[in-house]
Amino acid sequence: MVSSPTNIGDGNKHAFLIQVLRGRWFTVFASFLIMAGAGATYLFGVYSKEIKKSLGYDQTTLNLMGFFKDLGANVGVPAGLLAEVTPTWFVLLVGSAMNFTGYFLIWLAVTGKLSNPKIWQMCMFICIGANSQNFANTGALVTCVKNFPQGRGVMLGLLKGYVGLSGAIFTQFYLAIYGNDATSLILLIAWLPAALSIIFVFTVRDMKVVRNPNEAKVFNDCLYISIALALFLMAMTIIQKFVAFSKAAYAGSVTVICFLLFATLIVCVREELVLWRQKNEPPAEIVVEKPPTTLAPAASVDKEGKNMSIIEKILNKPPRGEDYSILQALLSMDMMILFLATFCGLGTSLTAMDNLGQIGESLGYPTKTISSFVSLVSIWNYFGRVFSGFISEFLLLKYKFPRTMVMTIVLLLSSIGHLIIAFPRPGSVYVASIIMGFSFGCQLTMLFTIISELFGLKYYSTLFNCGQLASPLGSYILNVKVTGMLYDRAALKQLSDKGLTRESVKELTCLGRECYHVSFLIMAGVTLFGALVSFILVMRTREFYKSDIYKKFKEEYYTTAEEKQLAAASSGTETSHK
């Protein structure tokens, strides 16, 4: 009995396995795992206390480290430029090496194996470790957006959602492996993300864009799995607050997390099986699009063919949605407005998350509860990223609702979270953690999606990294120069009231509502200003979002289909003549 080619017999298993491993959907699965390990920067609130205690830092010095962490995490231009001239596997390898080097050196310093490191050295270590996140982002995220250009909002939401969950995932892993030891968390952050990038280093790559009618269904299935993972993590966070878990119980929790992380692989294999059967059936019509990153509008080609000066090329910008050059995009008014809104929104959100551990400590929460705050931020960070990706895509396609307006609404929500911390009530930090995590996740996904829509995908790997440069600048001013200094001033006043001086204590600690009251009032005002700036961008882009922003990709799709039909017809005619 001869097996049908649409069934996977013994002889076809090897070929099918090769198809799965080389397919677009396995690249998506690998990218999910890489991104799930790329959010170590959000755990700073858990292990920063260990750095402060072991090295005797005050809050201003700790916040300076927090700034360099944010600087490294958001200055992704080197990763973007490297991706323009090297293959994806090299970008991932560089990021893996940087991640391990930076965080391993921090672990050595905190455990005393690296004696008396200078402050500038610690800042350099955390900057290097955090900067590795951009190489994972550029390698995995940009590649997937280019492979699925018409589902970029959904794809960005899912990928950035896994980054948002990574903080809670890491928390469960380190509790299962090392116990309640925040120092060992730094070691976990050093080796696990590096290992993930190395394992999938040759899996993630640019591929031809093949139109697949099941894309939306696959994305929805991946969404349901990620929601189940987020809900499980949230349930574990709540339960662990009231129930003392043994190491075996934490191991059970990690087992469920691993199952849910690998469940997307089942979805990807199922989809590859569908493609396998279609490939081995009599062909109906297979439409293959050329990668959008290699195409440019005719008008742009004509302009570049002329002898124009650099300034003329910059000033002669293409319409929104077409492929801008790097300088055209960076010097455009839209990018400048987006930069200012990002400075206000992400700058304040990063400051709040970096200080979450000290906020909980100042209000008298125990260490275990502070870890719960960080997990809540991580989980709702995920919901914000996924919500903004899926819901903004739905609103855009159905009602032409601008993504820039979604970003404005999120900034208004973020200001409420800052006000809750400025005027704390019993248990209010739980609510603030949810709002901060959700709004931060929304802002990131919106920023990356808006950049891809306004300025095209040709230089997206560089432009999306340039777009997030405003957040470390905002973090430095608001975290180091505002929040840190006001915290230390309040702490010194408390010491003075007790008749003590700074030299009397190793660790400078502030307790009470006054520690963060003024600084978070300032941040609430900055975020409101950012919402106003973002609304200006809404007014500038409202006509663009009323149009069909995916028209370019649809035209490419139909052009390719017509070419294939003509080629098939021509082939049939030649055969009949023979």
Side-chain angles (χ1 to χ4, degrees):
M1 180 177 178
V2 179
S3 63
S4 170
T6 60
N7 296 324
I8 303 178
D10 291 337
N12 291 331
K13 285 180 180 179
H14 179 71
F16 176 69
L17 178 62
I18 295 298
Q19 175 180 311
V20 170
L21 294 178
R22 296 182 59 83
R24 278 198 311 163
W25 293 111
F26 190 73
T27 297
V28 171
F29 163 72
S31 298
F32 285 161
L33 291 189
I34 290 173
M35 298 305 277
T41 53
Y42 305 127
L43 287 163
F44 185 72
V46 175
Y47 65 80
S48 60
K49 180 73 175 173
E50 296 300 318
I51 296 174
K52 185 178 181 182
K53 181 172 64 176
S54 63
L55 300 177
Y57 290 164
D58 58 21
Q59 191 62 33
T60 299
T61 304
L62 189 66
N63 283 4
L64 182 64
M65 274 196 71
F67 159 70
F68 275 95
K69 183 262 300 178
D70 295 335
L71 181 69
N74 291 282
V75 179
V77 178
L81 293 175
L82 186 66
E84 300 286 356
V85 295
T86 62
T88 303
W89 63 263
F90 185 76
V91 175
L92 291 175
L93 277 182
V94 171
S96 177
M98 291 175 64
N99 183 89
F100 182 78
T101 300
Y103 286 110
F104 186 67
L105 289 171
I106 293 172
W107 179 76
L108 290 177
V110 172
T111 55
K113 294 178 174 63
L114 183 64
S115 60
N116 299 321
K118 306 293 185 184
I119 294 173
W120 69 266
Q121 290 175 320
M122 292 297 293
C123 291
M124 181 180 68
F125 297 160
I126 200 166
C127 188
I128 291 171
N131 193 245
S132 66
Q133 172 180 308
N134 294 295
F135 290 82
N137 269 332
T138 303
L141 185 147
V142 175
T143 300
C144 284
V145 169
K146 289 181 177 180
N147 289 344
F148 297 89
Q150 292 192 51
R152 70 186 76 172
V154 173
M155 178 58 70
L156 276 167
L158 280 170
L159 288 169
K160 297 304 290 184
Y162 274 98
V163 178
L165 286 178
S166 62
I169 293 171
F170 270 108
T171 299
Q172 295 299 314
F173 269 78
Y174 101 85
L175 289 171
I177 298 172
Y178 301 109
N180 192 15
D181 179 9
T183 302
S184 297
L185 173 61
I186 303 173
L187 181 61
L188 180 68
I189 291 170
W191 68 263
L192 184 55
L196 287 171
S197 291
I198 290 173
I199 289 170
F200 296 110
V201 69
F202 294 114
T203 301
V204 180
R205 65 198 186 281
D206 288 344
M207 307 175 80
K208 285 188 176 181
V209 181
V210 182
R211 288 296 295 146
N212 187 342
N214 291 333
E215 273 185 18
K217 183 179 185 303
V218 177
F219 287 147
N220 286 335
D221 290 342
C222 291
L223 171 65
Y224 302 146
I225 292 170
S226 66
I227 289 176
L229 175 60
L231 292 175
F232 176 77
L233 287 168
M234 187 162 61
M236 287 298 99
T237 300
I238 295 171
I239 292 171
Q240 287 164 11
K241 183 179 181 299
F242 299 102
V243 179
F245 269 41
S246 64
K247 201 163 186 179
Y250 282 119
S253 172
V254 167
T255 302
V256 176
I257 290 170
C258 289
F259 172 77
L260 292 171
L261 284 171
F262 279 84
T264 53
L265 178 59
I266 300 173
V267 176
C268 296
V269 172
R270 183 199 66 193
E271 190 58 27
E272 288 295 341
L273 181 59
V274 172
L275 295 174
W276 170 272
R277 288 170 175 166
Q278 289 176 351
K279 185 173 69 173
N280 289 281
E281 286 175 353
E285 181 182 341
I286 302 174
V287 181
V288 179
E289 299 179 39
K290 295 179 182 179
T293 54
T294 62
L295 297 174
S300 298
V301 175
D302 292 340
K303 288 181 181 178
E304 292 174 4
K306 297 178 181 178
N307 293 323
M308 301 174 67
S309 68
I310 294 177
I311 295 178
E312 287 176 322
K313 289 180 180 178
I314 293 172
L315 293 177
N316 282 276
K317 296 181 179 66
R320 291 188 181 98
E322 301 295 345
D323 290 326
Y324 280 55
S325 71
I326 295 173
L327 286 177
Q328 283 175 336
L330 294 181
L331 298 177
S332 69
M333 185 58 68
D334 288 346
M335 182 64 88
M336 293 179 184
I337 294 172
L338 197 57
F339 187 91
L340 184 55
T342 303
F343 171 90
C344 298
L346 290 180
T348 55
S349 295
L350 283 171
T351 299
M353 290 192 294
D354 286 348
N355 286 275
L356 193 56
Q358 282 68 45
I359 291 170
E361 180 188 38
S362 68
L363 296 175
Y365 290 97
T367 303
K368 195 172 182 180
T369 303
I370 292 171
S371 297
S372 299
F373 295 153
V374 176
S375 293
L376 282 174
V377 167
S378 179
I379 293 164
W380 284 91
N381 190 353
Y382 156 81
F383 281 118
R385 293 168 192 239
V386 171
F387 170 86
S388 57
F390 277 81
I391 299 301
S392 68
E393 191 81 10
F394 170 78
L395 293 174
L396 175 65
L397 295 177
K398 189 169 181 66
Y399 302 107
K400 302 297 182 183
F401 193 83
R403 288 196 214 268
T404 45
M405 191 64 201
V406 176
M407 188 169 184
T408 304
I409 294 170
V410 169
L411 286 169
L412 293 172
L413 176 65
S414 181
S415 66
I416 296 173
H418 298 318
L419 288 173
I420 290 174
I421 294 177
F423 301 98
R425 294 288 183 274
S428 62
V429 181
Y430 287 101
V431 179
S433 300
I434 291 171
I435 293 176
M436 284 190 297
F438 183 82
S439 60
F440 181 76
C442 286
Q443 288 176 66
L444 273 179
T445 301
M446 287 297 94
L447 172 67
F448 297 151
T449 310
I450 290 168
I451 288 175
S452 74
E453 289 169 346
L454 297 184
F455 308 114
L457 292 175
K458 187 174 184 180
Y459 298 104
Y460 182 57
S461 60
T462 299
L463 291 179
F464 101 93
N465 281 307
C466 290
Q468 60 182 359
L469 285 174
S471 53
L473 178 60
S475 173
Y476 175 75
I477 294 173
L478 294 166
N479 199 1
V480 179
K481 296 300 182 182
V482 177
T483 306
M485 293 180 68
L486 289 173
Y487 177 95
D488 286 344
R489 184 184 300 174
L492 288 171
K493 184 177 183 301
Q494 290 182 357
L495 282 178
S496 177
D497 292 341
K498 297 175 182 177
L500 301 173
T501 62
R502 175 66 182 93
E503 290 73 22
S504 305
V505 293
K506 180 181 178 181
E507 180 185 352
L508 188 61
T509 303
C510 178
L511 298 175
R513 300 171 59 181
E514 65 273 15
C515 301
Y516 286 98
H517 174 71
V518 176
S519 56
F520 272 80
L521 279 178
I522 294 171
M523 289 203 295
V526 170
T527 311
L528 285 173
F529 175 73
L532 178 62
V533 172
S534 179
F535 187 71
I536 296 172
L537 188 60
V538 173
M539 301 305 293
R540 286 177 58 86
T541 58
R542 64 186 186 280
E543 294 301 324
F544 168 71
Y545 279 107
K546 285 180 182 178
S547 66
D548 185 358
I549 66 171
Y550 294 139
K551 181 180 179 182
K552 171 183 174 181
F553 301 104
K554 292 176 182 176
E555 287 175 350
E556 292 168 10
Y557 169 76
Y558 289 121
T559 300
T560 308
E562 289 172 3
E563 289 174 353
K564 284 188 170 288
Q565 288 173 352
L566 288 172
S570 174
S571 176
T573 304
E574 289 177 5
T575 303
S576 63
H577 283 315
K578 289 180 182 180

